[in-house]
Amino acid sequence: MWKVIIVDDEVLVRRGLSLTIPWSKYDMQVVGDYSNGAKALEAMAYLQPDVVITDIRMPHMDGLTFLKKIRESYPETVSVILSCHDDFAYAKEAIHLGAVNYLLKTSMDETEVDLALSKVRQSLEKRKSVDALLRQAEQVRSLERQAGLRAAFKSDLPSASAAAISGRSAGDSGCFLLLMAKPVHSAGSGALFAGCRQLEQLYGRESDWYGALDEEGCLLTVLKYSGTPSSLEIQRTGHIWSGRLLQLFDCGREELYVGVSAPFVSLATARQALEEAGRGAEAFFYDEGERSFYTGEAPYAAAEDRGAMSGAMFTADRRQQFLEALRTRSPQKVRAELQQLSALWKPGVSSASVKEMAAAMIDMIRLECGDPQSSPMGAAISELRGMSKRSELVSRIGREIDAWEQRVQASGGFSLRPEIQKAVQYIQRHLQEELKMQDVAEHVELSRSHFSALFKQALDKTFLEYVMEKRMERAMELIREGRKKMYEVAYEVGFSDYKYFTRCFKEHTGATPKEWRERLAYEAMAGSAQETEVRQG
């Protein structure tokens, strides 16, 4: 429906026109009526009417002044003039200002109104057809610009559009800047193209070149500068455009990689700029900060051979090495192998390659776990695609190793030496006492040095580290039970000095025993309140 507003200082005229004319017959709908041009002009900013029917003589802003304002700000709007004066001068001026018809209030009848509104509808339909053709032509031009930009950045094949784009330079003292936006959750080519069109509509005055690279799943923006921008200007531009791109993709900062190239003087060198912007976009994956965008400069993109590193990281030898660690059924060896392999995941390697390798490792862990309820091979990659940080992947694999460890432990699959098993049992029984490595070594009939080496090799921690860990675990259990006072808890886990116990407990948990107990109480209260809420709801 075409939107209509009526502007007249007489309330009866406005109401009469709104109620007596069969607007739907002309595919029209009255969306507002106003007593003068000033009020109507203010409302047009948000109503965006297609048709304005206005009186000539009104207070504050007369009809002819109102028409001039419409012509300046809303040239597509169709206007019809109302007047009590059969004055040719008014009609002539109104038509000069774009009115398609002139209606006299004193002699207006049904036929005259029908002819006027029919003519208005014809004008609107003609405008609609022209608008459609213009939009279609602009889409074609946009596609050509995008094709040329893609060709300039990626294609080895010469083309007219690529040559036209590549031949562009920024002038003697000017330069270009390339921004790349890459959603973590892959966007289809349709969404990327729609994004380009939206950027053209919103920010067409700031750049002629917006493009999408389907294979990389990213959107490109090329900005032109009359001079060479300072690093501060580049930072400011990056922040502004990061905000715009986040709004465009309707996502959070962790869901969108944004990279900016160094300034370059010609689109003939666009490929190097693309690589720089791409490295900048990927840098967010490796950095634990909250920067809104990254450039492709060191230290974020320092890699000697990105192609080789990305292409075949998880080689057959590395797969075999990880598999052998799993089959030793030693959690320490598996975690050490994870640490060694994840060291390969450094700036310069694409996040997609890292996720593929991480997914393959998870699949191997699950397969060795032998859990019939676990997900099928190849399922892990879909679980990892949405992760935006390297640290998230390492943590996820760590949790998979924890689950694998628990399963193997439950099946009695870990094979500690009998001496170490005996030592572990002894430590567990004597936590309240003073535990010396010499005493435990004698208990399992080994020399102190031999026992120390075997213990570290089997449990991947020293004797003192293991004893402290078990004492803190037992202390946390006793505090959770809540039946003992704090000094009694300290005594029961082998501490005669309560202050020393408090210091060790805080180093282990990040909280004092008292703070730990308060935290447990708060969590219990919160859980109870939630349960009550659920029952009442």
Side-chain angles (χ1 to χ4, degrees), residues 53-105:
I53 299 176
T54 181
D55 191 12
I56 291 283
R57 293 177 180 264
M58 295 180 293
H60 304 297
M61 183 186 290
D62 63 60
L64 295 180
T65 304
F66 179 39
L67 284 176
K68 287 177 185 176
K69 298 286 186 182
I70 292 175
R71 187 175 183 182
E72 291 169 6
S73 303
Y74 306 98
E76 300 298 320
T77 303
V78 176
S79 304
V80 176
I81 291 297
L82 292 172
S83 181
C84 292
H85 306 277
D86 190 3
D87 191 326
F88 179 73
Y90 278 124
K92 185 177 178 181
E93 179 65 14
I95 290 169
H96 176 70
L97 293 171
V100 299
N101 220 320
Y102 184 99
L103 291 173
L104 288 173
K105 296 180 186 178

Side-chain angles (χ1 to χ4, degrees), residues 418-434:
E419 299 94 330
I420 303 302
Q421 289 182 16
K422 190 176 179 182
V424 166
Q425 292 164 3
Y426 181 88
I427 291 167
Q428 201 66 43
R429 289 196 306 271
H430 295 81
L431 283 176
Q432 189 175 354
E433 304 168 16
E434 182 182 2

Side-chain angles (χ1 to χ4, degrees), residues 20-22 25-26 107-117:
T20 59
I21 295 174
K25 175 183 175 181
Y26 309 99
S107 62
M108 188 169 46
D109 59 21
E110 188 177 333
T111 304
E112 190 177 354
V113 170
D114 181 67
L115 286 171
L117 294 182

